């Protein structure tokens, strides 16, 4: 400590670029992603072909779209176990509303957005009002949504999947927005990749460049301390849950418009996938630490492993084992990198 | 891999040697090995190039039925000099992505299940565009042709249900419980609808949580205790037959238990009379024929079925045939 440093607030100290890089939450996961990529590039040659990479990116984007707001929520110190089935709910609502009302498909999409946001609001509102842990609140929502997905679909459509809306007005334009395929240099890329990157950019800007971002970190770091310094804790948490809803709506519309029929029983268990992606990407389970870019890298690792095992022609029975091992390794690496970074500050 | 196996073998042998004092003279691994040695295996019977076929199903993790399908496919792959790849996912989106991955790899043939047909449409279009022959198995007979598949191999679930209804009529049953262990499975709904169509008495649907066996047993037991007039229980999967039998015994009900599909335990229960009959769709055949037909298509441009689905069921199995089938079920091919 020199005399000048005593004069300057420690938060305004200039740190070297390398130190700053080491302090980033996603650094460990980037190293992990490179390792996974190199590994599969060596064992499976179709993995690194353009068509193979496009499939991997698509798989990553379907997870990543949801991993972004889930990561934000985890930075804010909360969980959302209803995120997986919410995607299915959102798709079911659009499809059935349009079909039953014989309305333009966009009407269903709009209604679905409102209802899905309402579910997110419900999660956040219950959390702030009851003071119960988010684990319990969203577990309840998860179970209720699972039942409602099946129950309502069976009640309204008479079967367990929705009826096709492919021949209705507005379907083509909605498909173009949510589920089109872009051909770049002879390779097909799904539009979800763009949605995903857009969400990552938006979330990163919110986290790092706005007041709301500071609120999220503050709420996750310490609720009472944050409230004491004037952070609107309740509004922030409700907003985070509605962010998850918004992404669930995007993912749900993609599900609907790429397949045009939705199976009501799906989405169960996906919520853990999103949480895993966020954790691999450097989010702490305890909150207050993490990044949106990290969640994207986590989703990419997940997608690479998921499809890489297929490209490498391994026995898929072992997939979950590798996933678990990778989760542990990535999290250990994160912890180690973080410890080093803090030690050199 | 081979060296790894040897080490594992040595380790297991060491552990076994330590516990040799407590050996069983019946059943167990030794009996299984003897059975395996007696059953088929061996090398390729043809000299066609080594093609690669990928099979992508909607199975969840660790499903007995799909294990048997895989066994059939692998047996045919050995015989036809085929490199056989298997992958599965019970989420429609993931399954479609797995088909995409197979197309990316440039495999020579694809075998796929259409439990969620609409989700697979685009992926199959990609496959046919790439000139990869596709055969659908097990589910999706209605969509198979429209999606550009060569043929469909499987059982028509409605017809299978009707066969069960007729057999129950023959046995003079009046009130049937149809146990659905997977909410949201269209094929299961069709089976119960088929039973309802031909059965002269009444049919009640009972939804149970298929991933939790004790809950299944409790639900069936409660239903049988609540309604003493039920005289037949139909389960839609082999693993649930034994559970239904237990529930019936606990509830002191006289209802006859019958089931779709077969496994070793069902064959044994048929033999000792605790199960009335089973209706089999021969999963081994679905896997075996799919690989074999793809091979025939590549080798000789043959197709089977004349544009119609090739049916592998229903086959009603009663006490009389069970004894012969038990050994096949035990080795995982029936």
């Amino acid at each position: 400590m020199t005399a000048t440093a005593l004069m300057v607030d420690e938060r305004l100290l200039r740190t070297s670029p390398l130190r700053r890089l080491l302090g980033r939450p996603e650094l460990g996961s980037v190293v992990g992603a490179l390792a996974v990529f190199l590994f599969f590039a060596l064992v499976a040659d179709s993995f690194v072909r353009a068509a193979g990479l496009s499939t991997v990116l698509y798989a990553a984007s379907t997870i990543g779209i949801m991993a972004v707001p889930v990561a934000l929520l985890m930075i804010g110190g909360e969980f959302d176990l209803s995120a997986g089935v919410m995607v299915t709910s959102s798709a079911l609502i659009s499809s059935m509303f349009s079909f039953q009302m014989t309305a333009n498909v966009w009407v269903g999409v709009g209604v679905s957005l409102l209802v899905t946001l309402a579910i997110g609001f419900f999660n956040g509102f219950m959390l702030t009002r009851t003071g119960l842990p988010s684990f319990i609140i969203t577990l309840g929502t998860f179970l209720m949504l699972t039942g409602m997905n099946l129950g309502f679909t069976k009640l309204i459509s008479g079967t367990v999947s929705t009826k096709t809306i492919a021949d209705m007005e507005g379907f083509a334009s909605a498909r173009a927005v949510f589920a089109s395929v872009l051909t770049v240099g002879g390779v097909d890329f799904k539009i979800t990749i763009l949605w995903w990157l857009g969400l990552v950019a938006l979330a990163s800007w919110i986290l790092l460049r706005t007041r709301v971002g500071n609120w999220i970190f503050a709420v996750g770091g310490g609720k009472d301390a944050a409230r004491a310094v004037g952070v609107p804790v309740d509004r922030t948490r409700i907003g985070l849950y509605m962010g998850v809803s918004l992404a669930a709506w995007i993912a749900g519309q993609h599900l609907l418009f790429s397949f045009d029929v939705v199976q009501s029983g799906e989405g169960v268990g996906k919520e853990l996938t999103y949480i895993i992606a966020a954790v691999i990407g450097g989010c702490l389970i305890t909150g207050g630490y993490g990044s949106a870019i990290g969640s994207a890298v986590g989703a990419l690792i997940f997608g690479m492993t998921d499809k890489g095992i297929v490209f490498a022609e391994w026995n898929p029975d072992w997939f979950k084992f590798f996933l678990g091992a990778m989760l542990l390794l990535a999290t250990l690496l994160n912890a180690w990198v973080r410890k080093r970074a803090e030690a050199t500050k | 891999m081979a060296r790894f196996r040897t080490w594992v073998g040595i380790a297991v042998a060491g552990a076994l040697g330590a516990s040799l004092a407590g050996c069983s003279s019946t059943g167990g691994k030794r009996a299984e090995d003897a059975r395996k040695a007696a059953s088929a295996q061996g090398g390729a019977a043809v000299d066609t190039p080594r093609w690669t076929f990928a099979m992508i199903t909607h199975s969840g993790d660790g499903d007995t039925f799909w294990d048997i399908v895989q066994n059939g496919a692998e047996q045919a792959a050995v015989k036809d000099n085929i490199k056989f790849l298997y992958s599965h996912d019970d989420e429609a989106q993931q399954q479609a992505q797995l088909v995409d991955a197979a197309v990316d790899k440039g495999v020579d043939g694809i075998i796929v299940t259409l439990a969620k047909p609409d989700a697979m449409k685009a992926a199959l279009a990609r496959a046919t565009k790439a000139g990869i022959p596709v055969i659908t198995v097990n589910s999706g007979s209605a969509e198979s042709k429209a999606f550009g598949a060569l043929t469909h191999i499987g059982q028509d679930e409605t017809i299978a249900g009707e066969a069960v209804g007729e057999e129950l009529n023959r046995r003079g049953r009046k009130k049937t419980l149809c146990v659905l262990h997977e909410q949201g499975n269209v094929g299961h709904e069709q089976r119960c609808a088929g039973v309802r169509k031909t059965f002269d008495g009444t049919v009640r649907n009972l939804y149970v949580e298929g991933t939790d066996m004790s809950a299944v047993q409790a639900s069936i037991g409660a239903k049988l205790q609540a309604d003493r007039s039920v005289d037949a229980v139909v389960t839609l999967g082999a693993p649930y037959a034994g559970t239904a039998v237990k529930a019936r015994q606990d509830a002191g009900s006289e209802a006859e238990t019958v089931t779709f599909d077969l496994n070793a335990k069902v064959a044994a229960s048929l033999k000792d009379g605790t199960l009335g009959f089973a209706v089999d769709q021969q999963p081994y055949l679905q896997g075996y024929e799919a690989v074999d037909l793809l091979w025939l298509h590549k080798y000789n441009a043959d197709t089977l079925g004349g544009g119609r689905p090739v049916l592998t069921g229903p086959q009603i199995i009663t006490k009389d045939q069970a004894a012969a089938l038990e050994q096949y079920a035990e080795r995982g091919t029936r």
Side-chain angles (χ1 to χ4, degrees):
Chain A
M1 271 282 181
T2 56
T4 44
L6 278 173
M7 306 291 290
V8 183
D9 190 330
E10 52 108 20
R11 286 169 298 181
L12 298 175
L13 271 179
R14 297 191 68 85
T15 47
S16 70
L18 182 69
R19 281 223 183 127
R20 252 198 316 238
L21 181 73
L22 277 175
R24 300 289 314 147
E26 61 271 7
L27 180 76
S29 63
V30 171
V31 174
L34 283 172
V36 171
F37 179 83
L38 281 174
F39 175 72
F40 281 115
L42 288 173
V43 294
D45 53 356
S46 46
F47 181 81
V48 283
R49 281 196 215 120
L53 285 177
S54 142
T55 302
V56 168
L57 274 177
Y58 173 54
S61 71
T62 52
I63 300 163
I65 285 176
M66 287 303 292
V68 172
V70 166
L72 256 55
L73 184 68
M74 284 176 72
I75 294 168
E78 303 297 343
F79 278 111
D80 190 349
L81 297 181
S82 65
V85 281
M86 208 192 289
V87 172
T88 312
S89 299
S90 179
L92 289 169
I93 294 162
S94 302
S95 166
M96 289 197 289
F97 190 88
S98 306
F99 187 88
Q100 296 301 331
M101 299 290 159
T102 324
N104 186 304
V105 169
W106 282 102
V107 177
V109 171
V111 169
S112 166
L113 174 62
L114 292 176
V115 176
T116 316
L117 284 174
I119 298 169
F121 179 82
F122 172 81
N123 275 337
F125 183 77
M126 288 294 284
L127 177 81
T128 52
R129 278 305 147 103
T130 59
L132 288 172
S134 60
F135 191 90
I136 303 291
I137 302 263
T138 57
L139 187 63
T141 316
F142 157 71
L143 291 169
M144 287 194 291
L145 282 179
T146 310
M148 285 194 333
N149 283 353
L150 265 173
F152 273 125
T153 311
K154 189 103 196 214
L155 190 73
I156 295 169
S157 304
T159 62
V160 288
S161 58
T162 61
K163 296 193 169 65
T164 176
I165 56 166
D167 50 1
M168 294 177 69
E169 264 174 45
F171 185 85
S173 56
R175 171 168 273 187
V177 171
F178 291 108
S180 58
V181 179
L182 312 164
T183 310
V184 186
V187 187
D188 293 345
F189 288 98
K190 297 260 186 2
I191 199 164
T192 43
I193 299 169
L194 289 183
W195 277 102
W196 175 38
L197 296 177
L199 278 175
V200 172
L202 175 71
S204 294
W205 176 75
I206 289 175
L207 270 182
L208 303 174
R209 290 274 176 272
T210 68
R211 207 165 48 149
V212 176
N214 287 337
W215 290 349
I216 295 171
F217 278 111
V219 169
K223 202 167 68 231
D224 304 326
R227 192 172 273 129
V229 295
V231 172
V233 173
D234 290 357
R235 261 198 301 157
T236 305
R237 285 147 105 202
I238 290 175
L240 284 173
Y241 273 106
M242 288 176 81
V244 175
S245 303
L246 180 71
W249 172 76
I250 295 169
Q253 301 319 295
H254 168 70
L255 207 62
L256 168 61
F257 291 111
S258 53
F259 303 142
D260 104 51
V261 166
V262 189
Q263 302 287 332
S264 56
E266 293 198 338
V268 177
K270 290 295 235 196
E271 63 282 343
L272 287 178
T273 307
Y274 310 142
I275 291 172
I276 291 168
V279 171
I280 290 180
C283 283
L284 281 186
I285 294 272
T286 47
Y289 190 83
S291 76
I293 293 172
S295 81
V297 180
L300 189 65
I301 290 182
F302 207 108
M304 283 195 294
T305 313
D306 194 2
K307 298 297 172 267
I309 286 174
V310 177
F311 284 122
E313 303 180 4
W314 292 349
N315 185 339
D317 293 351
W318 293 93
F319 170 65
K320 294 253 164 60
F321 171 81
F322 285 117
L323 202 62
M326 235 176 39
L327 173 67
L328 285 177
L329 282 173
T331 323
L332 282 171
L333 186 68
N334 284 342
W336 182 76
V337 168
R338 195 167 46 245
K339 213 176 260 161
R340 302 282 310 193
E342 277 164 7
T344 55
K345 257 188 187 150
Chain B
M1 198 68 213
R3 184 176 302 170
F4 174 71
R5 284 223 179 103
T6 322
W7 281 112
V8 169
I10 288 168
V12 170
L16 281 180
S19 62
L20 221 94
C23 257
S24 162
S25 59
T26 55
K29 178 99 180 94
R30 203 181 308 158
E32 188 188 64
D33 286 344
R35 270 200 305 274
K36 267 201 184 132
S39 77
Q41 258 307 328
V46 293
D47 54 3
T48 45
R50 192 157 174 79
W51 290 310
T52 305
F53 294 164
M55 183 176 207
I56 301 107
T57 71
H58 65 273
S59 148
D61 287 337
D63 185 312
T64 345
F65 180 92
W66 290 104
D67 226 31
I68 303 174
V69 175
Q70 233 182 303
N71 283 342
E74 271 162 6
Q75 184 67 57
V78 167
K79 180 181 67 84
D80 292 339
N81 192 24
I82 298 295
K83 187 173 174 190
F84 176 73
L85 307 173
Y86 180 76
S87 55
H88 62 85
D89 205 300
D90 48 7
E91 294 261 337
Q93 193 174 30
Q94 309 296 68
Q95 199 197 345
Q97 284 174 7
L98 288 171
V99 176
D100 280 340
V103 176
D104 296 337
K105 288 173 66 73
V107 296
D108 302 292
I110 290 178
I111 301 158
V112 68
T113 63
L114 300 181
K116 291 120 183 185
D118 303 276
M120 308 303 291
K121 199 171 180 171
L124 287 199
R126 257 193 91 206
T128 42
K129 201 173 128 194
I132 301 171
V134 176
I135 283 185
T136 58
V137 292
N138 183 265
S139 44
S141 56
E143 294 82 6
S144 174
K145 204 171 173 180
F147 288 6
L150 296 176
T151 187
H152 175 82
I153 301 165
Q155 162 177 274
D156 184 314
E157 302 296 6
T158 317
I159 295 177
E162 287 169 7
V164 171
E166 280 161 10
E167 184 68 24
L168 287 171
N169 286 338
R170 226 189 322 276
R171 292 166 185 250
R173 301 289 155 188
K174 294 283 170 284
K175 191 165 189 181
T176 299
L177 201 60
C178 200
V179 185
L180 297 99
H181 59 263
E182 217 176 89
Q183 268 201 334
N185 185 319
V186 184
H188 289 183
E189 302 277 345
Q190 286 171 339
R191 285 177 177 184
C192 287
V195 176
R196 192 168 284 117
K197 203 161 149 189
T198 52
F199 187 58
D200 296 334
T202 49
V203 180
R204 286 282 157 79
N205 282 10
L206 175 71
Y207 291 93
V208 294
E209 188 69 44
T211 47
D212 182 352
M213 270 301 178
S214 51
V216 173
Q217 188 176 331
S219 302
I220 299 173
K223 185 81 192 171
L224 289 175
Q225 277 165 343
D227 188 351
R228 288 281 169 198
S229 62
V230 172
D231 58 6
V233 178
V234 181
T235 56
L236 301 187
Y240 302 92
T243 314
V245 168
K246 268 206 208 74
R248 182 192 58 122
Q249 287 162 345
D250 291 350
S253 158
E254 288 301 302
E256 181 174 37
T257 315
V258 304
T259 184
F260 280 82
D261 299 344
L262 202 65
N263 64 12
K265 202 160 168 256
V266 167
S269 308
L270 285 170
K271 215 166 75 173
D272 66 26
T274 42
L275 278 178
F277 63 90
V279 54
D280 189 31
Q281 58 172 316
Q282 307 187 82
Y284 185 84
L285 205 54
Q286 289 177 6
Y288 186 94
E289 284 300 323
V291 171
D292 217 22
L293 281 181
L294 274 179
W295 179 83
L296 279 167
H297 180 77
K298 300 278 300 179
Y299 169 70
N300 207 26
D302 283 330
T303 54
L304 200 65
R308 297 267 176 85
V310 179
L311 298 184
T312 59
Q315 191 190 31
I316 300 268
I317 294 162
T318 58
K319 197 171 180 166
D320 312 334
Q321 299 108 28
L325 291 187
E326 196 179 11
Q327 53 170 331
Y328 303 147
E330 266 171 10
R331 72 177 186 205
T333 59
R334 278 306 294 259

